[in-house]
């Protein structure tokens, strides 16, 4: 069962990789990276059970947090072109 | 199954690396760098180097993506391509790579229990670490207890670097004052 799940996750990773390679717009690639990160989390979790070490589940949780924060930072960057802005209203005023 | 996973992940890694070299859109290259780091992290994890994998994921996929995007925002997201073929750099890279591969030939086989690194202090750590330090994870025990002074020095270096960067950038309040003065 875990072998089937691992195979499915690897196939999904391949599809996400293809989208990241082809992706016509930046947002396609961002989404592909995000999906790839999610698949990484799942692969780590399943791999832990596959090799009989369920403690990998905790590591997978930490990866989920890293992935989430990284994507938020990237998207914030694309939206404001700057990470230093703490208040979005000021950024919008600067841009116009 | 484990070998199969590593082979598939390594082929993904190779595809990503080739794509990074071939693409000229640098924003896409940064995104692919993120995928590359995530793949490396999983490979490290499958090879049982959990702490290295954590660092790779946090630094490679997390902060360096953002730093490189910041650099692109200050420069340009298009790569300057040089059309002419440069043989000397290629030669240097091939020679260096060949020397590195030649250097690995003398190394002990992967996972060889009689290798020098597994004979020195590792058996003692494995044998006594849980009893002597009370830490269940041996890697953590070595880092935080047996090499405690070494880790303290590393932390001091990182702290000093952080203080230096903060002094260079200045406090946010002073920056806004300067901006106001300019206006």
């Amino acid at each position: 069962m875990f072998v089937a799940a691992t195979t499915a996750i690897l196939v999904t990773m391949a599809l996400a990789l293809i989208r990241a390679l082809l992706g016509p717009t930046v947002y396609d690639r961002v989404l592909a990276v995000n999906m790839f990160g999610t698949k990484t989390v799942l692969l780590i979790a399943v791999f832990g059970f596959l090799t009989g070490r369920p403690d990998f589940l905790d590591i997978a949780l930490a990866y989920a947090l890293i992935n989430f924060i990284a994507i938020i930072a990237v998207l914030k960057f694309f939206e404001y072109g700057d990470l230093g802005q703490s208040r979005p209203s000021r950024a919008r005023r600067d841009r116009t | 199954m484990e070998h199969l996973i590593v082979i598939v992940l390594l082929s993904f890694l190779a595809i990503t690396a080739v794509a990074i070299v071939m693409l000229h859109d640098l924003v896409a290259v940064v995104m692919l760098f993120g995928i590359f780091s995530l793949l490396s992290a999983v490979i490290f994890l499958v090879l049982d180097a959990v702490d290295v994998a954590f660092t790779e994921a946090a630094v490679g996929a997390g902060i360096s993506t953002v730093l490189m995007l910041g650099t692109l925002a200050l420069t340009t997201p298009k790569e300057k391509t040089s059309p002419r073929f440069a043989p000397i750099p290629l030669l240097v890279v091939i020679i260096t790579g060949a020397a590195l591969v030649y250097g690995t030939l003398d190394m002990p086989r992967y996972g060889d229990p009689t290798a020098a690194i597994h004979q020195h202090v590792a058996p003692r750590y494995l044998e006594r670490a849980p009893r002597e330090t009370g830490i269940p994870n041996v890697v953590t025990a070595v880092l935080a207890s047996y090499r405690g002074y070494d880790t303290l020095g590393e932390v001091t270096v990182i702290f000093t670097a952080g203080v230096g960067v903060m002094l260079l950038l200045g406090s946010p309040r002073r920056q806004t004052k300067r901006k106001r003065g300019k206006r």
Side-chain angles (χ1 to χ4, degrees):
Chain A
M1 189 175 71
F2 292 130
V3 173
T6 313
T7 316
I9 290 168
L10 285 176
V11 169
T12 323
M13 271 178 143
L15 294 175
L17 188 63
I18 290 170
R19 182 41 67 199
L21 295 181
L22 298 178
T25 68
V26 168
Y27 295 102
D28 285 322
R29 295 186 206 271
V30 173
L31 201 61
V33 173
N34 189 15
M35 184 159 160
F36 208 89
T38 316
K39 294 309 138 202
T40 309
V41 173
L42 290 179
L43 184 64
I44 292 167
V46 173
F47 183 77
F49 285 102
L50 191 72
T51 53
R53 283 175 294 180
D55 2 326
F56 274 25
L57 207 56
D58 301 342
I59 300 169
L61 282 177
Y63 271 74
L65 289 177
I66 292 174
N67 188 33
F68 175 72
I69 292 170
I71 291 297
I72 290 285
V74 167
L75 286 177
K76 193 179 171 192
F77 199 91
F78 280 130
E79 179 68 20
Y80 303 122
D82 191 355
L83 280 178
Q85 304 285 353
S86 53
R87 279 168 297 181
S89 62
R90 216 171 98 203
R92 220 167 279 149
R93 207 187 343 155
D94 280 355
R95 217 171 9 157
T96 47
Chain B
M1 189 63 201
E2 208 169 302
H3 288 290
L4 213 63
I5 293 174
V6 174
I7 289 168
V8 172
L9 289 174
L10 279 176
S11 50
F12 284 170
L13 204 66
I15 293 169
T16 318
V18 171
I20 286 172
V21 175
M22 301 299 275
L23 277 176
H24 294 303
D25 181 7
L26 292 181
V27 176
V29 168
V30 171
M31 294 290 110
L32 284 176
F33 269 139
I35 289 183
F36 191 90
S37 293
L38 285 170
L39 275 171
S40 326
V42 183
I43 291 172
F44 287 144
L45 201 124
V46 173
L47 292 176
D48 265 348
V50 178
D51 48 338
V52 183
F54 253 129
T55 316
E56 178 64 42
V59 174
I63 192 73
S64 76
T65 307
V66 176
L67 287 181
M68 281 195 272
L69 282 175
T71 315
L72 288 186
L74 292 175
T75 56
T76 168
K78 279 284 159 202
E79 183 185 353
K80 270 188 195 160
T81 50
S82 60
R84 65 192 175 79
F85 175 71
I88 293 176
L90 185 69
L91 200 70
V92 169
V93 167
I94 287 175
I95 288 175
T96 316
L100 288 174
V101 170
Y102 177 70
T104 59
L105 292 181
D106 275 348
M107 283 168 64
R109 205 170 47 82
Y110 174 73
D112 187 3
T114 59
I117 187 127
H118 299 308
Q119 293 297 323
H120 184 41
V121 286
R124 190 187 174 280
Y125 285 158
L126 287 177
E127 200 180 318
R128 300 199 193 165
R131 203 151 29 89
E132 281 184 351
T133 60
I135 303 170
N137 188 332
V138 179
V139 175
T140 313
V142 170
L143 274 181
S145 179
Y146 290 111
R147 297 185 194 159
Y149 286 116
D150 185 47
T151 307
L152 183 68
E154 281 168 17
V155 171
T156 314
V157 169
I158 293 172
F159 177 73
T160 318
V163 170
V165 167
M166 282 175 80
L167 283 176
L168 282 176
L169 293 178
S171 68
R173 187 186 288 173
R174 219 191 303 158
Q175 247 179 0
T176 50
K177 254 187 202 166
R178 210 181 298 151
K179 262 186 203 161
R180 263 182 220 148
K182 266 182 198 167
R183 275 176 206 163

